[in-house]
Amino acid sequence: MELLRKWLGHPEDIYNLLRFKMGGYRAVMPRMDPDSLGCGLRTCYRYLNQTSRSFAAVIQALDGELRHAVCIFYLVLRALDTIEDDMTISLDVKVPMLHEFHSYLYQPEWKYMESKEKDRQVLEDFPTISMEFRNLSKVYQDVISDICHKMGVGMAEFLEKKVDSEHEWDKYCHYVAGLVGIGLSQLFSASELEDPIVGQDTELANSMGLFLQKTNIIRDYLEDQMEGREFWPKEVWSRYAKKLSDLAKPENIDMAVQCLNELITNALHHVPDVITYLSRLKNQTVFNFCAIPQVMAIATLAACYNNKQVFRGVVKIRKGQAVTLMMDATNIQAVKAIMYQYVEEIYQKIPSTDPSSNKTQQVIASIRAMSLPGSPMASRHHYSPIYLSCAMLLAALSWQYLSTISKATEEYVQAGEN
């Protein structure tokens, strides 16, 4: 019954969970007909669903040939990432593989059968993926190959190097996520569903990726520590602790939270670029594809800000909250209202004694200036009382059923992928 009590505290979540389950998801993530695909593409979409059921849904909602290009782009980068993550591959083998991986796209027989990673099927059946890559229009091939090359070089650079300065943090996030944003933007423009400026403005596209990656890195502090990974920049955390792992010690919690707040403030600097980028998009499916992860990220940062739980367990947004964001973030005014709502939530939590408080207030002021309320979304939680009453009654009668709703949606919220 604890779950039910949480829902009753957020009636808008109940309403939107019901709306989503009863067909509202089709407006955001319409299903694709697999029978319309050839054998190779069907296999690729199967791998897409196996490696990321969350991203698979929004990728398959894209229009036309862009859908296939983004699917192949994702699988190619997933294969590259699988090599980078595989600790059983020695560095003298891994580094050349990362550098040369883009060339394997044009080698029909290339595959790698020795990986121990869970997503190894994308390496073992790379010939199917590379064949479908070569079936794409050359304009798509050029983008995917170029990004794959740059990302492989960047991954190799950071294999034996920790993230020290904030500049290096930006550089690392550029290699693993900013380049994805740039590549996707170039694919959007190549498809002619979006204007050329979307693909040409690499600074904005980079910010889209950096905002998501930094959010994941901030949220996943404890998980990364438990698995021996460190992605928080030493230049920041060294002001609060002798070792990054010390932030998880109960006696250091106050300093840990101050460090957390400084990194969240750093990430928030990308939000104005995110708003500018999204304001340029014209195609609805592209907008949904880009906007949903960004509003999930700002909601996650709001949940993490000044929150000791980041150093004790997992901080995540509610499932109903995620569904609400997915269904609401369908136009730029709605996204601006969502951004405004969550930066206001952060603003209300800024401790007066926090060392970063002035910087946090300043960046929030710049976001406010771009996302002033007044759109229809400003009152998006004010549902008709009769609808809320019905929703609450239905939830009370079927809370156990609804607790299993949409596993893909929950994975989307928790996705820490590129």
Side-chain angles (χ1 to χ4, degrees), residues 19-281:
R19 246 196 336 149
F20 187 84
K21 188 65 176 177
M22 295 170 68
Y25 63 88
R26 293 191 186 95
V28 182
M29 296 184 294
R31 292 176 180 246
M32 183 187 66
D33 178 16
D35 294 334
S36 64
L37 306 176
C39 181
L41 270 178
R42 276 203 306 273
T43 300
C44 287
Y45 279 103
R46 187 173 77 250
Y47 292 153
L48 178 65
N49 280 288
Q50 290 171 351
T51 55
S52 177
R53 281 178 291 182
S54 48
F55 283 127
V58 287
I59 288 173
Q60 291 173 83
L62 289 168
D63 283 337
E65 61 183 15
L66 176 62
R67 178 190 306 147
H68 303 326
V70 174
C71 172
I72 300 304
F73 185 42
Y74 177 89
L75 292 177
V76 168
L77 296 187
R78 172 57 61 197
L80 179 66
D81 194 52
T82 300
I83 289 175
E84 192 232 3
D85 287 343
D86 194 332
M87 302 306 292
T88 67
I89 306 175
S90 62
L91 288 182
D92 60 334
V93 173
K94 184 183 292 189
V95 170
M97 284 180 72
L98 292 175
H99 278 277
E100 298 300 321
F101 195 84
H102 67 288
S103 68
Y104 303 152
L105 292 166
Y106 299 97
Q107 298 177 29
E109 303 303 319
W110 187 89
K111 58 186 175 182
Y112 186 74
M113 304 298 292
E114 299 174 29
S115 176
K116 303 297 188 289
E117 291 291 297
K118 62 182 177 62
D119 293 331
R120 60 185 176 272
Q121 70 266 35
V122 295
L123 291 171
E124 293 173 350
D125 192 19
F126 198 74
T128 296
I129 297 170
S130 67
M131 176 184 69
E132 293 303 330
F133 163 82
R134 293 187 298 276
N135 285 340
L136 295 173
S137 299
K138 186 176 184 302
V139 66
Y140 296 134
Q141 291 184 38
D142 290 346
V143 170
I144 295 171
S145 177
D146 178 59
I147 295 298
C148 185
H149 186 197
K150 291 174 179 175
M151 187 176 290
V153 171
M155 285 177 168
E157 179 182 336
F158 278 90
L159 277 177
E160 295 187 287
K161 182 171 82 173
K162 288 189 175 182
V163 178
D164 285 332
S165 67
E166 289 186 75
H167 172 74
E168 285 183 334
W169 198 37
D170 281 353
K171 190 176 182 182
Y172 171 76
C173 292
H174 165 73
Y175 283 139
V176 300
L179 283 171
V180 179
I182 291 169
L184 286 169
S185 301
Q186 291 172 348
L187 293 177
F188 299 156
S189 293
S191 72
E192 299 185 354
L193 293 175
E194 298 297 344
D195 291 335
I197 186 63
V198 172
Q200 292 166 357
D201 197 333
T202 56
E203 185 175 344
L204 291 189
N206 188 58
S207 283
M208 293 282 285
L210 263 61
F211 185 58
L212 299 182
Q213 187 66 20
K214 288 181 178 181
T215 297
N216 291 338
I217 288 173
I218 291 167
R219 178 199 61 195
D220 293 341
Y221 165 84
L222 194 60
E223 178 185 330
D224 287 337
Q225 280 293 303
M226 292 173 67
E227 296 187 11
R229 299 188 300 255
E230 294 190 355
F231 298 114
W232 284 26
K234 185 177 182 180
E235 181 182 354
V236 176
W237 64 255
S238 62
R239 292 196 285 267
Y240 302 93
K242 291 183 179 179
K243 295 186 297 181
L244 182 57
S245 58
D246 288 345
L247 295 178
K249 296 178 179 179
E251 63 269 25
N252 297 328
I253 191 62
D254 291 338
M255 296 297 281
V257 169
Q258 290 178 3
C259 181
L260 168 71
N261 292 347
E262 182 172 347
L263 290 181
I264 290 176
T265 300
N266 176 297
L268 289 174
H269 281 90
H270 298 293
V271 174
D273 278 355
V274 168
I275 293 172
T276 301
Y277 180 97
L278 293 174
S279 69
R280 290 176 173 172
L281 301 179

Side-chain angles (χ1 to χ4, degrees), residues 320-336:
Q321 185 182 2
V323 167
T324 296
L325 291 170
M326 289 174 64
M327 296 184 70
D328 285 346
T330 57
N331 62 78
I332 188 59
Q333 291 306 317
V335 169
K336 286 181 178 181

